[in-house]
Amino acid sequence: LSGSLSRSSPGLMIGEAEIERVQQDLARYLGPIAKVLVRRAAASATSTAALREALAPHIDHPAERASFLAGR
C-alpha cells in the first residue's frame, strides 16, 4: 500500500485499511493535515473507536465531530 503507516507497537489492533478509512474521514473536515494527525494518534490507539476519540477534538463543529465519531 502506498502511504502505509509504519507501526511498531506489537499490541496494536487497528488494521491498515481502518487507519486509511479514518484518515479519509478526518480529511473531509481537516484536509491534508489529517494524514499527520492520524499517523501520530494511531501509534498509541488500541482500537478504531479509540483512534476516532483521540482525533475528534480536532474537529470544531459539534455535528461534524459526532458524524466523524460515528464513522459517517
Side-chain angles (χ1 to χ4, degrees), residues 4 6 25 34 45 63:
S4 347
S6 170
D25 290 351

Side-chain angles (χ1 to χ4, degrees), residues 27-53:
R28 276 189 258 159
Y29 306 108
L30 301 181
I33 192 68
K35 183 174 184 174
V36 174
L37 297 173
V38 170
R39 184 180 303 127
R40 289 178 183 167
S44 60
T46 56
S47 69
T48 303
L51 179 58
R52 287 183 181 273
E53 286 286 337

Side-chain angles (χ1 to χ4, degrees):
L1 290 171
S2 65
S4 347
L5 301 177
S6 170
R7 297 178 323 223
S8 58
S9 301
L12 195 60
M13 305 300 279
I14 308 170
E16 289 294 328
E18 266 312 298
I19 291 172
E20 290 292 328
R21 179 166 181 224
V22 170
Q23 179 181 315
Q24 290 172 357
D25 290 351
L26 188 62
R28 276 189 258 159
Y29 306 108
L30 301 181
I33 192 68
K35 183 174 184 174
V36 174
L37 297 173
V38 170
R39 184 180 303 127
R40 289 178 183 167
S44 60
T46 56
S47 69
T48 303
L51 179 58
R52 287 183 181 273
E53 286 286 337
L55 294 164
H58 295 287
I59 302 172
D60 291 331
H61 194 276
E64 291 176 346
R65 188 178 320 113
S67 181
F68 173 75
L69 285 168
R72 293 181 262 142

